[in-house]
Amino acid sequence: MDLPSIKNENRYEALRDKGYSKEKSARIANSSHPGKKGGKAKPYEERTKEELYEQAKNVAIEGRSKMSKLELIHALRNN
């Protein structure tokens, strides 16, 4: 089986040393803009509790109906 080439070997090895998987390290090392985040969603802190609740519902976070806004943010980030 042929393995894909790594474009930035130094970055790949640094990520592996930090504990990243081979796949994730390769994906980041081969990215042209690894520090740039995608998506245009606003940060959780700028969303309403209702918006956060709906997001938690979409990803099936249990106990969401009793959570505060901060608890919903924590649950969404750590799900």
Side-chain angles (χ1 to χ4, degrees):
M1 179 163 104
D2 243 352
L3 294 175
S5 64
I6 303 297
K7 292 180 183 177
N8 187 328
E9 193 69 39
N10 291 334
R11 184 182 296 149
Y12 174 82
E13 291 301 328
L15 292 165
R16 291 292 293 142
D17 290 343
K18 287 183 177 181
Y20 286 81
S21 70
K22 290 179 183 179
E23 294 81 11
K24 187 166 187 177
S25 297
R27 191 169 51 247
I28 294 170
N30 288 340
S31 171
S32 59
H33 300 291
K36 186 177 177 184
K37 293 184 178 182
K40 297 186 184 199
K42 58 185 173 180
Y44 287 142
E45 290 78 11
E46 293 179 13
R47 299 181 194 184
T48 66
K49 183 178 177 185
E50 291 74 26
E51 290 172 320
L52 295 169
Y53 176 83
E54 286 303 315
Q55 182 67 32
K57 185 177 174 182
N58 289 339
V59 294
I61 293 176
E62 296 198 19
R64 63 187 172 268
S65 63
K66 296 179 180 153
M67 291 183 182
S68 68
K69 181 176 177 175
L70 290 176
E71 290 170 326
L72 285 166
I73 291 171
H74 179 76
L76 287 165
R77 286 198 171 130
N78 296 294
N79 181 23

